[in-house]
Amino acid sequence: MQIEVIEYKGSKVKKKIKQNGAISYSQKGVYLGVDVKTGKQVTTTITARTLKELDRKSNRAKLEFEKNGFTKKERIEVHILEDLAEAWYRSYKTLVSSENTLNRVRGYLDNYIIPKFGDFQPQQIDASDVQLWVTEMANNARDAVDKGKLNKKGNAQDFGAMAHKLSDIFDFGITHCNLEKNPVSSIKIPPKPKRNKERVMVLHDEDLAKWLLYLTTLPNTRGNRRFKIICETLLCSALRINELLALKISDLDMEHSEISVSKTLMWKNPDKKLGIKGKVICKPTPKSDAGFRNVSVPLEVLERLKEFHEEMNRYFESHDLPKSELIFPTIYGAFMCDRNEQTTLKKRLIEVGLPDYGFHLFRHTHASMLLNAGANWKELQVRMGHKSITTTMDAYAELAPKRKVEAVNIYNAKMKELKQLC
């Protein structure tokens, strides 16, 4: 491309000649006028195929500016609520760093808001439309709580959060798309139905012994070796499953017999409109600041984790693949999704007649073991990676039946002592 600067009507114009012979003219700093809102002079750049077209475009830009009296703000064109919701979500993504939050809000849009209002013109949606929708969701949620069917689609407990997100979408439309009203602002959100407190699943001594015996019967395959070391590590450390699957070999401190927790895996939802598939990503921080911790575990567990890491790297080497720092990589060296292992775990728990509760079962069991052995709440809080000790106490107060019996024994012993003094 050839570029030269020419003089045209007292101004400098850049002339560009492409390799195919096409010519274009570009003029910077074309004066439009003074912005009545800011008091600043406004200029722009005009590009055209000929000098005459350059003149026409300059005059048109000046007339448009004089008509508006100020720099025209770019408007987002929307025709139906789905357009508005997607425009809002694009903006929302720039303000939120948590993939979990984005996944949840994306679910609100795809499963509830867009299916209900997506084809509506935003200005035609009334408060009564939104109120009926929210009330219907609240009734479904209440029925689900009463019948114990909490996972069925349409029974969402967070209908209030969805209403607030719909309100945010309309506020965005008022700011960027000339909408005149937000119909959500005048609705009443019903109270969230209260669920009966669920019993925390835990393996007490007899069930835990049954599970450990079952693990010894599994065939000695690589998949089973991985499954067993995952279960064993979760049981002795109380790590969350995605904290464990994020571990690298450098996170194992063999000298001090500790695991360093500093990250977690999470699922990034697909974007069907952009053709992006869902995938597992590594969040470079744990669930909360309190999640940063060094957890003491038996040295033999660290050694088995190291052995499995070496086994996987021997596999990569034999298949001419690069080695991985991950302890539990896929056969392609990527982050491992916990879903397949969760399915395997649930199938095997059912097979031996134990509660089907997923990998958190081992986290709860670990907490129960510590409490029954006399660990204090603060010690347990730090080990579990909880931000607040209240969270720890609320979650695990029911997990120490031995301590309950111990409390009765302490009371009886004290009363016996006092009676002897009478």
Side-chain angles (χ1 to χ4, degrees):
M1 177 186 292
Q2 297 179 6
I3 299 177
E4 62 176 301
V5 178
I6 63 174
E7 193 83 17
Y8 180 67
K9 294 185 177 180
S11 301
K12 291 182 179 181
V13 175
K14 187 178 291 185
K15 180 180 180 182
K16 298 180 181 179
I17 305 175
K18 297 181 180 180
Q19 291 182 348
N20 61 4
I23 299 175
S24 67
Y25 298 89
S26 179
Q27 183 178 358
K28 290 184 177 181
V30 176
Y31 178 73
L32 298 180
V34 177
D35 191 322
V36 296
K37 288 191 173 182
T38 65
K40 296 180 180 180
Q41 294 185 353
V42 179
T43 61
T44 190
T45 299
I46 304 292
T47 301
R49 291 170 294 179
T50 65
L51 291 172
K52 286 186 177 180
E53 185 181 21
L54 190 70
D55 284 339
R56 289 197 300 272
K57 283 190 171 184
S58 297
N59 290 332
R60 192 182 307 127
K62 292 175 182 177
L63 289 172
E64 185 69 21
F65 182 84
E66 290 175 2
K67 177 182 177 182
N68 291 305
F70 57 89
T71 306
K72 188 175 181 180
K73 186 175 182 179
E74 183 180 356
R75 296 287 179 184
I76 299 173
E77 293 294 328
V78 298
H79 303 285
I80 56 177
L81 187 106
E82 182 175 5
D83 298 335
L84 179 59
E86 294 296 348
W88 169 82
Y89 185 71
R90 287 193 294 273
S91 174
Y92 181 73
K93 285 198 298 185
T94 65
L95 305 174
V96 178
S97 59
S98 169
E99 286 294 337
N100 282 334
T101 300
L102 291 176
N103 287 346
R104 183 174 67 255
V105 172
R106 187 69 246 181
Y108 292 165
L109 295 180
D110 293 340
N111 298 321
Y112 294 91
I113 295 175
I114 291 177
K116 180 64 179 182
F117 297 112
D119 293 332
F120 287 42
Q121 296 179 23
Q123 63 272 20
Q124 297 302 320
I125 299 174
D126 295 324
S128 60
D129 298 322
V130 181
Q131 185 68 69
L132 287 171
W133 173 63
V134 173
T135 302
E136 180 183 7
M137 287 196 295
N139 290 335
N140 289 341
R142 192 176 299 108
D143 290 343
V145 168
D146 293 341
K147 297 175 182 178
K149 298 180 180 180
L150 302 176
N151 296 324
K152 187 178 178 181
K153 185 177 177 180
N155 295 343
Q157 305 284 300
D158 43 358
F159 52 84
M162 289 185 228
H164 287 303
K165 287 294 174 281
L166 182 59
S167 180
D168 291 344
I169 291 170
F170 276 105
D171 284 343
F172 179 87
I174 291 172
T175 302
H176 297 277
C177 309
N178 282 334
L179 287 187
E180 296 181 354
K181 63 177 183 177
N182 180 348
V184 189
S185 60
S186 60
I187 72 164
K188 302 295 182 183
I189 299 177
K192 186 175 180 178
K194 294 183 179 180
R195 298 167 55 176
N196 294 327
K197 187 175 181 181
E198 295 181 0
R199 176 174 168 265
V200 177
M201 293 296 186
V202 60
L203 296 177
H204 292 301
D205 291 353
E206 185 178 342
D207 287 339
L208 183 55
K210 183 191 299 187
W211 174 251
L212 295 176
L213 177 62
Y214 171 78
L215 290 180
T216 64
T217 67
L218 296 176
N220 189 29
T221 64
R222 186 178 68 228
N224 283 336
R225 288 193 294 275
R226 179 183 64 202
F227 179 79
K228 287 193 284 188
I229 189 60
I230 286 176
C231 293
E232 182 179 16
T233 308
L234 293 177
L235 182 61
C236 75
S237 67
L239 265 64
R240 301 174 178 91
I241 178 61
N242 282 315
E243 292 175 337
L244 178 64
L245 297 182
L247 290 180
K248 295 183 177 181
I249 191 63
S250 57
D251 295 319
L252 305 185
D253 184 345
M254 308 299 288
E255 180 181 355
H256 298 95
S257 193
E258 290 180 340
I259 295 175
S260 175
V261 181
S262 61
K263 50 193 173 294
T264 189
L265 299 186
M266 58 191 309
W267 178 254
K268 183 176 178 62
N269 275 346
D271 191 325
K272 296 179 181 179
K273 291 182 172 57
L274 298 178
I276 299 174
K277 295 182 179 180
K279 63 179 180 179
V280 178
I281 63 171
C282 184
K283 181 184 176 185
T285 58
K287 187 176 181 180
S288 67
D289 290 343
F292 287 101
R293 61 200 191 278
N294 292 326
V295 181
S296 297
V297 297
L299 181 59
E300 55 266 27
V301 172
L302 294 185
E303 290 172 344
R304 281 193 279 277
L305 289 169
K306 184 180 178 182
E307 287 171 5
F308 187 77
H309 174 257
E310 292 171 349
E311 177 181 351
M312 289 304 300
N313 276 332
R314 286 195 298 272
Y315 170 87
F316 294 139
E317 188 175 10
S318 66
H319 289 77
D320 295 323
L321 295 171
K323 292 185 177 182
S324 174
E325 286 291 304
L326 296 173
I327 295 176
F328 296 107
T330 67
I331 58 172
Y332 305 105
F335 291 114
M336 179 180 166
C337 181
D338 70 305
R339 293 182 180 181
N340 290 337
E341 292 295 280
Q342 291 276 15
T343 301
T344 300
L345 173 66
K346 291 187 176 185
K347 177 182 176 182
R348 288 174 170 173
L349 286 170
I350 293 172
E351 188 176 331
V352 294
L354 294 176
D356 167 19
Y357 198 65
F359 282 114
H360 244 54
L361 179 66
F362 302 119
R363 183 170 165 85
H364 297 330
T365 300
H366 181 91
S368 176
M369 293 168 66
L370 262 63
L371 287 173
N372 279 312
N376 63 57
W377 286 108
K378 188 62 181 178
E379 178 184 354
L380 184 61
Q381 176 202 349
V382 173
R383 194 165 178 85
M384 305 300 285
H386 287 156
K387 186 175 182 180
S388 167
I389 196 169
T390 303
T391 302
T392 311
M393 297 178 74
D394 287 346
Y396 299 122
E398 299 298 319
L399 293 188
K402 289 182 181 178
R403 298 295 292 277
K404 292 181 181 180
V405 175
E406 180 184 326
V408 175
N409 291 336
I410 291 172
Y411 171 81
N412 287 336
K414 187 64 178 177
M415 294 301 294
K416 184 177 180 180
E417 176 188 338
L418 292 175
K419 286 178 180 179
Q420 290 176 350
L421 297 175
C422 295

